Amino acid sequence: MERRNTRVIKVGNVLIGGDNPISVQSMTNTVTKDVENTVKQILSLEEAGCDIIRSAITDIDDAKAIVEIKERINIPIMADIQYDYRLALESIRYGIDGLRLNPGNIGSLDKVREVVKACKDKGISIRVGVNSGSIKQEFLDKYNGVNENSMVYSALEQIRLLEDMDFNLIKISLKASNVPLTIKAYEKMSKIVDYPMHLGITEAGPIWRGTVKSSVGIGSLLSMGIGDTIRISLTGDPVEEVKVGREILKSLDLLRDGLEIISCPTCGRTHIDLIKIVEDAEKRLEGIGKHIKVAIMGCAVNGPGEAREADIGIAGGHGEGLIFKKGKIIKKVKESELLDELIKEIEKM
Ligand code: SF4
């Protein structure tokens, strides 16, 4: 798949757009000024592979907390600003790496100009975005309700405001909870401007439903070459958002990092507790720090052959199982020792 050529911006030390790796973002759900809990959450997100974090800045104490948070984390942090331009300025003053705001929401042109100047001085980028639920009435009237046109032209109004001030460190989001609408909106926008795109399906829902919706929506766009950074929105632990985001990228070969597990769906030939083995393997191999594809297959009849592209794998049998590498059997072990043996072999790789 050919990736759309976009401009490059940066958030801290993470480059977004062009042919830079597609980054995975998430958002803290702690009270930002509660530095202990915010840092704790960000560190666990980092461990899961989060590239950029965003936190809500709701008052001056949240903005002040940025200094201490930044000292204790290792990834760039963005400020999510709703309406108060002073909080954008304070966030910049306290060292924020990027802003998420819509210039049209923060007041007069003078206020926007002040924020833009502060961003320019420090090379800070701004994410401009429209959610299907927050399109201005004027655009809903003009384009007959919520659709890709009202979303795109509403976002373009925000973008033009910044461009008129000679500012183009911009990335764009166009999120809806409806997957086809989200896809159409990003597709349309990507034909109009070449700013990098931040992909997401908003209010996607609880973990498994949200995972399916996000995978279909974001996966479709990425496979069309659209998208430079992604955020999965789930009602749950943000660590799950990062895990899902990374798996989406891995499934499209857009991320070659860490563990990839392939496993068979089981059938009447399965005589081992494959589901439990897969669950245990996932836990024990998490954070392995090697890019490795592991196959966990139910039987020796089809397992090693079907999982030929895996670096290493196991195939169950009756009370015993096989360990294989690149489709070739290397050892036969007791069922109870299968997982331990697999892990030993992986450690040697
Ligand atoms: Fe069935 Fe074997 Fe295929 Fe698994 S690998 S689904 S056990 S035939």
Side-chain angles (χ1 to χ4, degrees), residues 18 26-27 43 63 70 81 83 86 111 149 193 212 225 229 231 244 260 265 271 315 335:
S26 186
M27 189 167 179
L43 292 179
K70 277 197 67 166
I81 308 285
Y83 300 106
R86 285 168 305 184
K111 291 174 179 168
N149 291 321
V193 294
V212 173
T229 182
R231 191 252 167 136
V244 173
E260 197 178 326
H271 299 290
E335 183 186 336

Side-chain angles (χ1 to χ4, degrees), residues 261-284 295-299 314-317 335 338-339 342:
I261 291 188
I262 55 174
S263 55
C264 82
T266 75
C267 72
R269 292 185 194 87
T270 319
H271 299 290
I272 55 170
D273 188 354
L274 194 84
I275 297 171
K276 170 98 174 62
I277 293 177
V278 171
E279 281 171 5
D280 290 349
E282 254 195 318
K283 277 186 212 133
R284 291 179 61 182
I296 303 183
M297 309 297 281
C299 75
I314 55 178
E335 183 186 336
L338 253 181
L339 189 53
L342 174 76

Side-chain angles (χ1 to χ4, degrees), residues 4 16 27-28 31 37 41 71 88 99 128 146 184 229 290:
R4 187 178 143 258
I16 298 172
M27 189 167 179
T28 50
V31 172
N37 280 319
Q41 187 169 64
E71 275 168 11
L99 292 180
V128 170
V146 177
K184 279 192 249 171
T229 182
K290 295 177 185 176

Side-chain angles (χ1 to χ4, degrees), residues 10 33 35 54-55 76 99 123 148 189 216 300 303 306 332:
K10 65 183 178 57
K33 57 186 142 300
V35 173
R54 177 164 48 108
S55 295
L99 292 180
E148 68 274 25
M189 184 63 100
V216 173
E306 278 179 25
K332 195 186 263 189

Side-chain angles (χ1 to χ4, degrees), residues 150-162:
S150 51
M151 284 178 75
V152 165
Y153 291 111
S154 176
L156 276 172
E157 184 191 50
Q158 304 292 322
I159 293 162
R160 301 299 182 219
L161 256 173
L162 297 177

Side-chain angles (χ1 to χ4, degrees), residues 47-341:
E47 206 180 322
C50 184
D51 298 304
I52 297 169
I53 190 67
R54 177 164 48 108
S55 295
I57 302 299
T58 61
D59 58 26
I60 185 70
D61 290 331
D62 283 342
K64 281 183 181 162
I66 293 166
V67 177
E68 195 184 338
I69 293 170
K70 277 197 67 166
E71 275 168 11
R72 293 168 60 184
I73 65 170
N74 309 291
I75 55 174
I77 179 167
M78 292 185 59
D80 194 277
I81 308 285
Q82 288 287 337
Y83 300 106
D84 191 341
Y85 86 109
R86 285 168 305 184
L87 293 179
L89 292 175
E90 291 300 323
S91 299
I92 295 169
R93 185 169 149 222
Y94 289 112
I96 206 71
D97 297 303
L99 292 180
R100 157 71 184 113
L101 60 80
N102 281 342
N105 289 350
I106 60 169
S108 67
L109 283 181
D110 281 348
K111 291 174 179 168
V112 179
R113 230 170 256 125
E114 237 187 288
V115 173
V116 164
K117 183 178 179 314
C119 284
K120 272 189 193 167
D121 289 349
K122 293 205 172 172
I124 288 173
S125 58
I126 301 180
R127 167 154 74 92
V128 170
V130 165
N131 284 7
S132 57
S134 63
I135 304 169
K136 269 166 57 181
Q137 192 58 43
E138 167 195 345
F139 289 95
L140 293 174
D141 294 342
K142 189 166 174 190
Y143 296 100
N144 297 320
V146 177
N147 53 45
E148 68 274 25
N149 291 321
S150 51
M151 284 178 75
V152 165
Y153 291 111
S154 176
L156 276 172
E157 184 191 50
Q158 304 292 322
I159 293 162
R160 301 299 182 219
L161 256 173
L162 297 177
E163 286 177 335
D164 287 348
M165 294 175 188
D166 202 21
F167 186 82
N168 49 29
L169 302 176
I170 297 170
K171 66 177 185 286
I172 304 171
S173 60
L174 295 160
K175 300 184 183 182
S177 61
N178 177 284
V179 171
L181 172 58
T182 308
I183 294 172
K184 279 192 249 171
Y186 277 106
E187 215 186 337
K188 186 175 176 81
M189 184 63 100
S190 69
K191 289 182 184 140
I192 302 175
V193 294
D194 63 355
Y195 295 115
M197 298 284 180
H198 166 117
L199 303 185
I201 304 292
T202 197
E203 293 127 27
I207 290 178
W208 82 263
R209 278 175 208 277
T211 297
V212 173
K213 278 180 90 167
S214 301
S215 305
V216 173
I218 293 174
S220 301
L221 284 161
L222 289 172
S223 62
M224 290 154 72
I226 298 171
D228 302 283
T229 182
I230 64 173
R231 191 252 167 136
I232 315 298
S233 301
L234 299 175
T235 311
D237 184 344
V239 166
E240 296 301 319
E241 299 186 345
V242 173
K243 286 186 185 167
V244 173
R246 287 174 62 86
E247 281 308 310
I248 292 174
L249 295 181
K250 280 188 211 167
S251 70
L252 289 166
D253 285 340
L254 292 167
L255 176 67
R256 291 175 192 278
D257 180 26
L259 177 73
E260 197 178 326
I261 291 188
I262 55 174
S263 55
C264 82
T266 75
C267 72
R269 292 185 194 87
T270 319
H271 299 290
I272 55 170
D273 188 354
L274 194 84
I275 297 171
K276 170 98 174 62
I277 293 177
V278 171
E279 281 171 5
D280 290 349
E282 254 195 318
K283 277 186 212 133
R284 291 179 61 182
L285 291 169
E286 205 173 59
I288 184 119
K290 295 177 185 176
H291 174 51
I292 194 163
K293 196 181 251 190
V294 180
I296 303 183
M297 309 297 281
C299 75
V301 181
N302 293 332
E306 278 179 25
R308 203 169 282 123
E309 87 272 26
D311 299 301
I312 189 163
I314 55 178
H318 283 277
E320 60 182 17
L322 305 172
I323 308 254
F324 59 90
K325 277 188 177 171
K326 302 272 182 202
K328 286 216 172 76
I329 295 161
I330 57 161
K331 268 194 198 171
K332 195 186 263 189
V333 290
K334 278 198 251 164
E335 183 186 336
S336 57
E337 290 162 15
L338 253 181
L339 189 53
D340 288 340
E341 278 301 317

